[in-house]
Amino acid sequence: MSEISVIGGGRWGTFLAWYAANYCKIEKVRIYSHPNSPEYKKMQATRKNAYVTLSDNIYLHEKISDILDNDFIIVSVGSQNLRELAKELNGYHISGKTFLLAMKGLEEPKATLLSTVMEEEIKQPIHIATLGGPGHVQDYVKGVPSCAVIDSNEDDVKDKAIKMLQSDLIRFYYGEDFIGNQIGAALKNVIGIAAGILDGLEWYGLKGALMARSPVEVGRFIKHYGGNPMTAYGLAHLGDYEATLFSKHSHNRTFGEKFVKGEEFGKLAEGYYTLKAVKTIADKENINMPICQALYHVIYESADIKQTIRTMFDRDLKHEFERF
């Protein structure tokens, strides 16, 4: 019997469990979520959440130890909570297991890659892969197809994960830049906040410019970490712009729009935390990132929104294309 486990019972984690159980050749899926979380309590009582109804081959567990005997484990928790989880995982025998990190972010305050967080805290030999790319749960459950990318430093790990999760709903591509795909996936959330601010201001005409210029500075950030700057133009970053910069389902876009209007959002917007970490590194390493820097002034320093957002594009005259 083929089995996998999922750590995280939120929107994305539950969907991936449902997807694996219903679209892939996975016979049994176990979900671990914190037993005190409202989402878990609702699923336990009703076998459903706001997006999916759990099929009979999905099992809920309140103890993380109950799901760690599977060799393939999807992780979908808040990026800033990963280190705590990794420390907990290290207390169990998990040598040789594969962890697919399905969230998109960088850890504060040093903009640490999520794969690095795992490597720092887990003192056992494990395999790590990451998932990036477009798609919202609300669209997937309606049967709207999309593409995504899975990456790892180990080719056989990529191959295993892709062949296990491939379906006619999601086509997975083999990533070729483990660093760049993680950074690109994280920073698309930041750009999503910027897009939401433009929506809130009704400055829709600048969203095209945002889409054109953002991969340039994200590519600089990727290059600083040793990745390929062209990865910013792939599925994990630019390929995710429609879902992140335009969709009504995007938490980051909605956060930015509500921020302009002075309204509370109340849901996780990963870009909020990633932005702070990126700004810290960009300043320290002198990486030219005008969009992220202007956005930081607005979000964290209460700078005048209209005036500051204009500075994203109102710079010294220069050629459109330049070296990274």
Side-chain angles (χ1 to χ4, degrees):
M1 173 182 282
S2 60
E3 296 186 20
I4 69 169
S5 297
V6 176
I7 298 176
R11 176 178 64 163
W12 189 233
T14 304
F15 164 73
L16 289 172
W18 176 86
Y19 166 76
N22 290 276
Y23 276 85
C24 308
K25 297 178 180 179
I26 308 297
E27 298 177 35
K28 184 176 180 180
V29 180
R30 302 180 192 178
I31 301 177
Y32 162 75
S33 183
H34 197 286
N36 292 329
S37 72
E39 294 88 352
Y40 176 81
K41 289 182 177 180
K42 179 178 180 180
M43 283 197 297
Q44 192 177 44
T46 66
R47 296 286 297 174
K48 63 183 179 180
N49 61 15
Y51 311 101
V52 299
T53 297
L54 302 184
S55 49
D56 291 339
N57 57 339
I58 299 177
Y59 299 83
L60 300 175
H61 296 269
E62 296 185 9
K63 296 180 179 179
I64 196 169
S65 57
D66 291 341
I67 59 95
L68 293 179
D69 54 341
N70 285 332
D71 291 330
F72 189 88
I73 301 169
I74 297 174
V75 180
S76 181
V77 300
S79 296
Q80 308 310 313
N81 303 120
L82 180 60
R83 190 173 294 276
E84 180 181 357
L85 172 64
K87 290 178 179 178
E88 182 180 4
L89 289 172
N90 192 53
Y92 297 93
H93 179 68
I94 56 172
S95 179
K97 298 185 183 297
T98 297
F99 292 86
L100 176 64
L101 306 182
M103 58 284 202
K104 304 163 184 177
L106 299 173
E107 186 193 47
E108 286 190 71
K110 299 180 180 180
T112 307
L113 298 177
L114 300 186
S115 62
T116 302
V117 172
M118 293 286 282
E119 292 165 355
E120 289 177 348
E121 297 299 339
I122 296 178
K123 310 304 180 183
Q124 307 172 51
I126 61 170
H127 308 289
I128 304 171
T130 58
L131 187 157
H136 284 294
V137 172
Q138 293 92 329
D139 294 326
Y140 279 136
V141 296
K142 294 178 181 178
V144 179
S146 189
C147 300
V149 58
I150 288 178
D151 212 337
S152 173
N153 278 331
E154 302 175 85
D155 288 341
D156 58 337
V157 172
K158 277 186 284 189
D159 191 60
K160 175 184 177 181
I162 288 173
K163 289 179 178 177
M164 182 180 295
L165 298 175
Q166 192 81 271
S167 77
D168 58 358
L169 182 64
I170 307 177
R171 177 180 179 178
F172 288 100
Y173 284 80
Y174 289 80
E176 298 180 341
D177 182 5
F178 195 39
I179 292 173
N181 275 314
Q182 289 184 73
I183 292 174
L187 267 70
K188 63 93 183 176
N189 289 329
V190 174
I191 307 306
I193 293 177
I197 287 176
L198 293 178
D199 285 343
L201 294 173
E202 298 186 359
W203 288 2
Y204 310 117
L206 283 177
K207 288 183 78 171
L210 178 69
M211 292 174 65
R213 299 307 304 167
S214 294
V216 176
E217 66 177 70
V218 172
R220 295 189 189 110
F221 203 75
I222 290 173
K223 183 178 180 180
H224 171 75
Y225 275 73
N228 181 354
M230 294 306 296
T231 302
Y233 295 89
L235 281 168
H237 188 73
L238 181 60
D240 208 344
Y241 273 14
E242 189 282 329
T244 308
L245 276 63
F246 292 90
S247 174
K248 64 182 180 180
H249 304 311
S250 169
H251 282 187
N252 292 283
R253 191 209 63 79
T254 304
F255 172 86
E257 182 175 9
K258 287 186 174 293
F259 181 87
V260 170
K261 298 177 180 179
E263 300 173 2
E264 293 291 332
F265 180 45
K267 297 180 180 179
L268 176 64
E270 287 278 15
Y272 176 84
Y273 304 100
T274 300
L275 172 62
K276 188 175 182 180
V278 168
K279 172 66 161 52
T280 299
I281 300 301
D283 288 350
K284 181 180 178 181
E285 302 296 337
N286 196 29
I287 306 171
N288 186 21
M289 303 188 71
I291 294 173
C292 290
Q293 288 162 335
L295 190 60
Y296 180 89
H297 293 317
V298 168
I299 298 296
Y300 282 98
E301 299 177 343
S302 301
D304 180 85
I305 296 177
K306 289 186 177 181
Q307 181 179 347
T308 307
I309 295 302
R310 284 183 181 275
T311 67
M312 288 184 182
F313 309 99
D314 185 19
R315 305 176 67 213
D316 294 339
L317 298 178
K318 58 171 61 181
H319 294 287
E320 178 182 9
F321 296 106
E322 56 184 307
R323 293 182 179 180
F324 286 96

